[in-house]
Amino acid sequence: MKATPLSDAAQVTAVRGPVLDIRFPGTLPAIHDALEIATDVPIFAEVQAHLDERHVRAIALQSTRGIARGTPVRATGGPLTVPVGKAVLGRLLNVMGETGDNGAPLPADTPRRPIHHSAPPLASQRGQTEVFSTGIKVLDLLAPLAKGGKSAMFGGAGVGKTVLVTELIRAMVSGYDGISVFAGVGERSREGHEMLNEMHDSGVLDQTVLVYGQMNEPPGARWRVPLSALSIAEYFRDEDGRNVLLLMDNVFRFVQAGSEVSGLLGRMPSRVGYQPTLETEVADLQERIASIGRASVTAIEAVYVPADDFTDPAVAAISAHVDSTVVLSRQLAAEGIYPAIDPIATTSVLLDPLVVGEEHAKVAARLRELIEHYHELRDVIALLGVEELGREERLMVGRARRLQRFLTQPFFVAAAYTGMEGRSVPVAETVSGCAAILDGECDDWDETSLYMIGTLEEARAKEAARTDTKKGPKRA
């Protein structure tokens, strides 16, 4: 499509924060088309509505400082495009594909791809049952992640979502044959710089693309950042045939930015003040994450839960699209159980004997049943004490507490804060360790021997050392 030359340019007729009204002398640009505002430094906006035969309403993707009525506008003839391909590997980009890492400019011949793209046809997609081994015990046991699937980490503020996603990046990139694309949506500027430095230090940056729309940017930029990251991921999947790991932190901020945009455009709010197009926006994003042919896009998404309310419409809309649901618990975090993953609420469609094996599925079911029974007894224990329980119930409570502590694990990315070296545990070791605790092999062990360790053998060594210390030196 031929772009409108600046000589016959349209003009800005109104500026209300990031919302712009623009008059076109001829044919109106299509919804989602990008517009270039001709200020000293060009500013891009995206068409959101046709007001009448001559006017459109657009949302700016950058600060509107310097825009006045009468400022010329150029229609680009299509949606916003971002650079893709090998040139963007190891780079930090913004929503428009501009570099933000103080590196060299991207080559002029770098291919570009529109951020708006329809999901692949259902007939061309393929289902996935291949399991990722993350090395994180509680995830591998209770919520195995699917290659080519979508997994979401749900939790309120301060329960460890970002740390968990960062550890998954380290675990997967180190043993993952593919490209990683990280979308930072509405997060802190500090976190973006920390992520860039960590990936550089760990030597995985050359196979990673970072795309950020930070919390100090306009809502339009935060709203479109996931689409920019997804377009880069789709290019590697479709054109290069590479497997792609797409990490998004935080998807709730995408919904929140959409809600801000909706309010700025004057749309009537829906449930709990969210935009009326909430379900459609989430579906348009999630349905593009798919496997085609031999290549796949695997998504791991952090989702902030406002006020720990899991019935929030945004949380419900996102959870409807994921294969693995990982729920982080504030109560477990308060008890020092890290990662603070709730073993009851956490689920995965892959936790099936036909996928993970009979023994794995059986151990996971027994563990859930035991911990659920322990939760039922907690009120009784708080009122009367554990001594008032029967012998069998005391035994079950002890095993449940030991299982909770065995599923804790020091993370590599948190070593600077915890002072403990990270652990990565094979799935088989996790299953056999939990089976041993369920069968009563560790009933006489101190709970601290199972806390923040890797395999059961490490706990056995800690218990032996504790016992020797308790006995004291042998007499001559």
Side-chain angles (χ1 to χ4, degrees), residues 32 47 59 65 78 172 207 232 235 246 253 263 267 304 308 322 340-341 350 367 373 384 423 427 452 456 460-461:
H32 295 159
V47 177
I59 192 81
R65 183 178 298 171
M172 290 193 170
Q207 292 297 303
I232 294 170
Y235 179 87
L246 176 66
R253 305 294 181 201
R267 294 173 183 156
Y304 168 68
D308 293 341
V322 298
I341 294 173
L350 266 69
L367 181 145
H373 188 55
L384 304 176
R423 304 287 194 280
V427 180
M452 283 293 172
L456 196 65
R460 185 173 279 112

Side-chain angles (χ1 to χ4, degrees), residues 448-449 460-474:
T448 56
S449 298
R460 185 173 279 112
K462 280 180 70 175
E463 178 64 18
R466 188 191 66 83
T467 305
D468 290 344
T469 304
K470 192 174 180 180
K471 289 179 179 177
K474 294 182 179 179

Side-chain angles (χ1 to χ4, degrees), residues 7-54:
S7 55
D8 330 319
Q11 292 185 343
V12 174
T13 59
V15 183
R16 291 181 296 278
V19 178
L20 306 172
D21 287 353
I22 301 163
R23 184 182 187 280
F24 282 84
T27 306
L28 296 182
I31 302 293
H32 295 159
D33 271 11
L35 307 176
E36 183 181 340
I37 318 298
T39 54
D40 294 339
V41 177
I43 294 171
F44 284 89
E46 185 179 277
V47 177
Q48 293 299 317
H50 292 172
L51 301 180
D52 54 38
E53 294 179 354
R54 288 286 176 266

Side-chain angles (χ1 to χ4, degrees), residues 191-474:
E191 292 176 344
H193 289 291
E194 287 178 358
M195 182 76 70
L196 185 66
N197 293 333
E198 284 173 10
M199 289 193 166
H200 182 270
D201 294 342
S202 59
V204 299
L205 186 60
D206 61 342
Q207 292 297 303
T208 305
V209 185
L210 303 174
V211 188
Y212 270 86
Q214 295 162 163
M215 61 169 55
N216 61 335
E217 296 189 45
R222 288 181 273 122
W223 192 35
R224 292 315 188 199
V225 155
L227 303 186
S228 297
L230 192 49
S231 294
I232 294 170
E234 287 172 333
Y235 179 87
F236 285 115
R237 179 196 66 191
D238 299 341
E239 305 299 327
D240 290 356
R242 302 286 300 274
N243 291 324
V244 182
L245 180 63
L246 176 66
L247 301 120
M248 288 191 276
D249 186 9
N250 184 304
V251 183
F252 176 80
R253 305 294 181 201
F254 160 73
V255 173
Q256 193 175 44
S259 180
E260 291 177 43
V261 169
S262 181
L264 288 166
L265 294 173
R267 294 173 183 156
M268 187 71 72
S270 182
R271 288 186 301 159
V272 199
Y274 285 109
Q275 61 270 43
T277 53
L278 169 65
E279 301 279 353
T280 304
E281 289 174 14
V282 171
D284 287 344
L285 174 69
Q286 299 288 351
E287 288 176 6
R288 287 173 62 180
I289 302 168
S291 301
I292 300 175
R294 293 178 291 107
S296 62
V297 174
T298 303
I300 297 175
E301 309 167 9
V303 183
Y304 168 68
V305 180
D308 293 341
D309 179 13
F310 285 87
T311 64
D312 186 87
V315 176
I318 296 165
S319 61
H321 292 272
V322 298
D323 308 314
S324 301
T325 302
V326 180
V327 178
L328 289 100
S329 162
R330 190 171 302 281
Q331 183 177 350
L332 289 175
E335 293 174 8
I337 304 295
Y338 288 103
I341 294 173
D342 186 340
I344 307 301
T346 296
T347 59
S348 171
V349 295
L350 266 69
L351 193 58
D352 185 289
L354 298 175
V355 179
V356 297
E358 196 76 40
E359 178 67 13
H360 184 151
K362 183 179 176 183
V363 168
R366 289 177 63 197
L367 181 145
R368 277 209 178 100
E369 184 181 356
L370 185 64
I371 291 181
E372 195 160 5
H373 188 55
Y374 168 52
H375 287 173
E376 291 170 359
L377 294 172
R378 291 183 76 161
D379 289 343
V380 176
I381 295 168
L383 288 170
L384 304 176
V386 73
E387 297 79 10
E388 295 300 316
L389 300 176
R391 181 180 177 278
E392 288 296 322
E393 288 183 331
R394 284 204 305 272
L395 205 60
M396 290 175 67
V397 167
R399 289 177 186 174
R401 288 176 60 85
R402 286 173 176 83
L403 279 168
Q404 276 190 334
R405 279 143 187 80
F406 177 65
L407 292 178
T408 60
Q409 187 171 344
F411 282 171
F412 290 93
V413 298
Y417 310 108
T418 62
M420 292 183 281
E421 185 183 350
R423 304 287 194 280
S424 180
V425 183
V427 180
E429 293 278 2
T430 300
V431 173
S432 62
C434 290
I437 296 170
L438 286 163
D439 293 337
E441 290 183 27
C442 310
D443 285 353
D444 298 329
W445 293 13
D446 192 272
E447 290 178 4
T448 56
S449 298
L450 293 155
Y451 182 67
M452 283 293 172
I453 49 94
T455 63
L456 196 65
E457 288 304 314
E458 188 178 340
R460 185 173 279 112
K462 280 180 70 175
E463 178 64 18
R466 188 191 66 83
T467 305
D468 290 344
T469 304
K470 192 174 180 180
K471 289 179 179 177
K474 294 182 179 179

